[in-house]
Amino acid sequence: MAKKQFAVIGLGRFGSSVAKFLAEMGYEVLAIDEDQERVQDVAHIVTHAVSADTTDEEAIRALGIRNFDVVVVAIGQNIQASILTTLILKDLGVPQIIAKAQNELHGKVLSKIGADKVVFPERDMGLRVAHHLISPNILEHIELSSDYSIVEMKVPSSIVGKSLKQLDIRVKYNCNVLAVKRDGEMNITPRPDESLCADDVLVIVGRNEQLTRLEQAYAEA
Ligand code: ATP
């Protein structure tokens, strides 16, 4: 199967890091920005880097953008340019459009005009940092839906030495332990009677309120 081809429009901090990472992973990346300097900054890393105003339909069409599998619209502050660009890409029939939103309303508009996925990097990173401040044991939080998440939780001192059977997380919190990470190894079939160690990390799936209840109970115990 041919490797996916990506285009990234808007080479601010977010867009340039998406473009660079994809290129470093060996993918073909077309990077676009109206600012020539920003284009130069990534030109040595990505496959093609061009300067263009993506609110100009003809300019965008001339780049053959409809042949790319995924286009990331990473224009932030200029909301009008972000919306116009997304609309043009949709009209051209780009198969998958990922757009960065500056705020909730901007995100709503992007979804309405056909962005397949809208991301809120500043909001999400802010939530992650805040969450980590409140629950230092939570190393990673992956939102599965608005109600369910997977968390990676460092084993709190209150449960070191206990086994999964003793903790009875499934019954008490209606959550499932998917894996136990120990010394960098992921054990996806943890034994119920094995004692947890201080540096273990539990990977747990559950409803958000149950996960919070579990975190708080173990932190306070
Ligand atoms: P970040 O937070 O990722 O640094 P940002 O949210 O501050 O970015 P901007 O700096 O507003 O976003 O936009 C990102 C890039 O998009 C800029 O480099 C800007 O030149 C580019 N850009 C803005 N409008 C257009 C346009 N119409 N066509 C092409 N590029 C554009």
Side-chain angles (χ1 to χ4, degrees), residues 30-122:
L30 167 65
I32 309 166
D33 199 296
E34 61 181 359
D35 179 338
Q36 185 67 43
E37 247 177 67
R38 294 219 158 154
V39 172
Q40 284 309 319
D41 286 345
V42 301
H44 60 293
I45 302 170
V46 301
T47 327
H48 307 285
V50 294
S51 153
D53 174 2
T54 55
T55 61
D56 173 351
E57 188 168 350
E58 280 316 306
I60 251 192
R61 197 189 289 272
L63 292 171
I65 207 126
R66 53 179 302 186
N67 300 322
F68 286 78
D69 301 294
V70 184
V71 180
V72 179
V73 182
I75 300 171
Q77 282 165 36
N78 188 344
I79 291 181
Q80 186 177 334
S82 145
I83 293 170
L84 278 175
T85 299
T86 306
L87 199 57
I88 294 171
L89 294 172
K90 191 73 194 170
D91 273 355
L92 289 174
V94 169
Q96 201 182 354
I97 305 170
I98 318 283
K100 171 182 129 140
Q102 198 73 353
N103 54 50
E104 295 291 334
L105 193 58
H106 183 196
K108 242 186 211 171
V109 176
L110 291 169
S111 296
K112 281 242 161 83
I113 59 174
D116 299 282
K117 187 171 171 56
V118 177
V119 294
F120 300 84
E122 287 92 353

Side-chain angles (χ1 to χ4, degrees), residues 173-206:
Y173 299 99
N174 212 12
C175 294
N176 245 315
V177 176
L178 298 175
V180 178
K181 267 201 224 173
R182 180 174 297 167
D183 301 327
E185 293 283 328
M186 181 78 92
N187 179 2
I188 56 163
T189 50
R191 294 216 335 258
D193 48 3
E194 196 170 310
S195 299
L196 295 170
C197 302
D199 290 327
D200 287 353
V201 173
L202 299 179
V203 183
I204 313 170
V205 62

Side-chain angles (χ1 to χ4, degrees), residues 81-165:
S82 145
I83 293 170
L84 278 175
T85 299
T86 306
L87 199 57
I88 294 171
L89 294 172
K90 191 73 194 170
D91 273 355
L92 289 174
V94 169
Q96 201 182 354
I97 305 170
I98 318 283
K100 171 182 129 140
Q102 198 73 353
N103 54 50
E104 295 291 334
L105 193 58
H106 183 196
K108 242 186 211 171
V109 176
L110 291 169
S111 296
K112 281 242 161 83
I113 59 174
D116 299 282
K117 187 171 171 56
V118 177
V119 294
F120 300 84
E122 287 92 353
R123 182 199 71 180
D124 290 352
M125 189 44 86
L127 286 179
R128 277 174 105 126
V129 171
H131 203 267
H132 184 67
L133 292 173
I134 297 166
S135 321
N137 286 322
I138 300 298
L139 307 175
E140 197 65 69
H141 185 129
I142 303 162
E143 216 176 80
L144 297 178
S145 70
S146 53
D147 295 329
Y148 289 87
S149 300
I150 292 178
V151 295
E152 279 194 8
M153 183 176 74
K154 194 169 154 316
V155 165
S157 53
S158 63
I159 61 168
V160 170
K162 296 205 168 132
S163 67
L164 292 176
K165 198 166 161 189

